[in-house]
Amino acid sequence: MKPPQRGRPNEVRLIGGAWKRSKLPVPDRPGLRPTPDRVRETLFNWLGQDLSGWRVLDAFAGSGALGFEAASRGAAQVLLLEQDAQLVAGFKAHAQRLGATGLEARRADAMAWMAAAAPEAWELVLLDPPFAAGLALPAARAAARLVVPGGFVYVESGEALAEPPPGLELWREGRAGAVHYQLLRRGYTAPVSVTGP
């Protein structure tokens, strides 16, 4: 068993977009591990910084850093899912303070919500489930049908996915200490070519 981390940050700072340098308080919760700044910076460099018009689902919101980062960079709609009612209340307060009209926070079980959700409704699904829960691959499978063709699924986990679930391909990947992060992309369906005899 690992000793508890000392000096855990009690806030995260947004690193880009309209709310750059804004701080989000992070309550002390077991297993709550905000995505490191360097990893967030790399992810949004991969995505191209400007998410104007994108619909983004942050399925295991935790600290809210990924979802708020997407909203800060112009996403038209951001939905944060989180089971902890206090965290959800915090997201709503942050959104109100920042004037984030396109950001919604909802108390929900992410796996159950994704299983029931409409397909092809998001340009980006962010997945950072608790590392100990073993949900990275099942969550990626659930998210694969939720993104539009050409859309992205981001997975952050303690171990890299050995291979993407059906319908997704590995686009980029990296590692920062114990954090593995992978950006998967849903491929476009190639048009069927019909040729004569």
Side-chain angles (χ1 to χ4, degrees), residues 55 57 79 106 112-123 125 142-148 186:
R55 296 160 298 174
L57 173 65
L79 175 59
R106 189 178 301 176
W113 192 95
M114 288 193 291
E120 299 188 2
W122 308 92
E123 278 72 37
V125 176
R145 69 178 195 87
L146 301 185
V147 292
V148 298
R186 182 175 169 190

Side-chain angles (χ1 to χ4, degrees), residues 111-168:
M111 293 301 295
W113 192 95
M114 288 193 291
E120 299 188 2
W122 308 92
E123 278 72 37
L124 172 63
V125 176
L126 301 163
L127 303 172
D128 182 12
F131 283 7
L135 290 174
L137 182 56
R141 284 194 190 112
R145 69 178 195 87
L146 301 185
V147 292
V148 298
F152 294 95
V153 175
Y154 170 76
V155 182
E156 191 172 313
S157 56
E159 292 183 10
L161 300 181
E163 60 181 61
L168 297 175

Side-chain angles (χ1 to χ4, degrees), residues 86-109:
Q86 185 178 342
L87 294 178
V88 172
F91 301 153
K92 291 178 178 178
H94 305 329
Q96 187 172 21
R97 178 170 53 87
L98 294 169
T101 54
L103 187 144
E104 178 189 354
R106 189 178 301 176
R107 188 178 184 192
D109 175 276

Side-chain angles (χ1 to χ4, degrees), residues 54-101:
W54 287 35
R55 296 160 298 174
V56 179
L57 173 65
D58 187 353
F60 298 86
S63 70
L66 289 173
F68 274 89
E69 201 77 63
S72 181
R73 295 161 192 266
Q77 178 187 0
V78 178
L79 175 59
L80 290 86
L81 302 179
E82 172 57 50
Q83 293 193 79
D84 186 311
Q86 185 178 342
L87 294 178
V88 172
F91 301 153
K92 291 178 178 178
H94 305 329
Q96 187 172 21
R97 178 170 53 87
L98 294 169
T101 54

